[in-house]
Amino acid sequence: MRKYCCTSASWTAADCISSRANAACAAACPARPAQLLTCRANTLIAVRLGTLIVPGAPTMKARRLAAILSPAVFALLLTLSGLSRAVEASQAKYPDYPGETPAQFVPATASHDYIRREVMIPMRDGVKLRTIILIPKGAHDAGILLTRTPYDANALTSHHMSGHLGPMLQGYDNAADIIVEDGYIRVVQDVRGKYGSEGGYVMNRPLHGPLNPTPVDDSTDTYDTIDWLVKHVPESNGKVGTIGISYDGFEPLMALVDPHPALKVAVPMNPMVDGWMGDDWFHHGAFRQQNMAYIYEQTASRGNTIKWWTNYHDDYDLFMHYGSAGALAQAYGMQQLPFWNKLVAHPAYDSFWREQAVDKLLAAQPLKVPVMLVHSLWDQEDIYGALAVYRALKPKDSSGHMVKLVLGPWHHGQEIEDGSALGAIRFGSDTAKYFREHILRPFLAQYLKDGAPKANLAPVTAFQTGTNQWQRLPRWPLACAHGCATSSRALYLEANLKLGFSAPAAGSSAYDEYVSDPAHPVPFRARPIQPIGYDNGMTWPQWLVDDQREASGRTDVLSYVSAVLTAPVSIAGAPEVHLVASTSGTDSDWVVKLIDVYPDQVAAQPALGGYQLAVAMDIFRGRYREGFSAAKPLAANRPLLYRFALPAANHVFAPGHRIMVQVQSSWFPLYDRNPQTFVPNIFLAQPADYRKATQRVYHAPGEASFIALPVVAH
């Protein structure tokens, strides 16, 4: 449809606003100036940067139009087109105000004592992994120390922004003093799928095989990374070592599978090895539900930007509110997380867990790279893994030089921090600094520094708690150097809550009992119970050395105590539980603790008077009494034998101290509650499944309960 200016059907839209047509149009249509804008139905007018644009017509500057149109028509043109403000803007008093952020900024780092490079290293499948390389200024022929991490390579290499490398590295996961003082090139890489790296993240990605059909895994990624580094870091001598703690300690173990020729040494510290048997996810079948926050944050986003939340100050109240771990997960939307669904689908030690247990995988591999395994005696997260790998690798060490073991009096990862104390327990020296200077430093230098001497290290270097001294040992669990042996000695639970080295005599009472009520589970530490954490006043790293008097005063905890010792009792190895017990339910958990009870008064440290220091303790889920691969209900009210190992200890119970053993049936909320009624999957237990049970611990002839102590005889 056309609408025309005035009465001339021959005029076009351009004619209506041209200089030659304007006068005639205005004279012919003095009362209808609006028709100037409707000469064609599809005519649109825009003003941009002082230019009036009419589709289908020549472009003219606004000032030219102002000159050829009457003031009234020009004003109406702007008003009707809604562009008067745009024209005013084009005539603004101020010029364009440029931004102050440059397109690219190059920091001036000439004064820094290191060079930082950030690169994306390609893997064999094309995925690129973000890698931070820190090179000491002037370095040449330097060894490379590599850590692969899911915890943000950038954060791990910039703890304190500085021009000096030491402050940059001072923190997790760096043995900063050794790295800086010995001039190593520090490399930290995000594992695939985390933070700056491409690809998909899989928790502790299994090796290529039944659980991982792809051709890539952490072993191949490490190989490809090392291959790139030795070809593209000219300051290096071509020698690479892998080192790391926890998940970062799992990575050096993966590097041992078909290792790169340039990999000269590996130092796995507190590594994740078997998530079901005794590391992060389960202990003997009991689920570590406080780790749900870690699973949530670690797997819900690439950069851990989705954070766990709680409406409770006390984690005890949080987990009691939801009941089962499965119900809590449902409330938090964790069914969206594939790793969580794997946990729920595999509550028993089936092929899913067996085929990714790192100790079993390494047992089937040749030993090609020297390894130093570092274990913490009070590791509150991964107390199982390092010693399991030691048992797998040591038989392959025919020369006696390929596998070293270190046992320190630390919490998880404390070996790179101050090691003078753990909680209330003091060690008389900085044990972590001793480890780094006298054990780690010469070991790394031997393999990564050109011309360095062979390290003078014993096969096993262990700190003995109770006497607070380092020991050079030929092997583990044999815990003395010459002419001594480790033998098992039974420490019996006796009548009247006594503890001793004599088997129960005929005529003694048969058992002690207590009621385990899932509605009132035993806290694993004093309430209010903090979430897992290392910063902002969190005391999670200390819970394994908490004073156990909090539990010994409860009626649902049995505490057996020895007489005051008149001679030292030294143990070196894993105490083994032989518990004969019954439950009125059809399932049950059993928590057993081996405790050093201090004298009632300790002059040098009064707060330790009567202190109950846990030397070794763990939990066992009764449904796996007959085997870990399948759950079976327990026969109610029948004495049954439960046999399992506690974590290893290297400890002396001193004269004047007493030994205690505690037995209980919950350890909450660290572990999920056992309903005490057999259900196929405890993750899915319903409120009605949780029932009280009467628990009996037997100490009669033929039904004796005891702890087999790995006693060191001199």
Side-chain angles (χ1 to χ4, degrees), residues 63-75:
R63 60 178 177 270
R64 182 181 174 198
L65 286 175
I68 64 176
L69 297 179
S70 67
V73 172
F74 185 69

Side-chain angles (χ1 to χ4, degrees), residues 170-208:
Q170 189 60 49
Y172 191 85
D173 179 8
N174 300 292
D177 45 0
I178 304 304
I179 295 171
V180 174
E181 293 168 14
D182 285 17
Y184 292 114
I185 296 170
R186 184 65 171 131
V187 179
V188 184
Q189 180 183 75
D190 291 325
V191 299
R192 63 171 59 217
K194 292 302 293 184
Y195 293 91
S197 287
E198 299 173 352
Y201 176 67
V202 177
M203 184 82 74
N204 298 107
R205 180 183 290 268
L207 292 176
H208 168 70

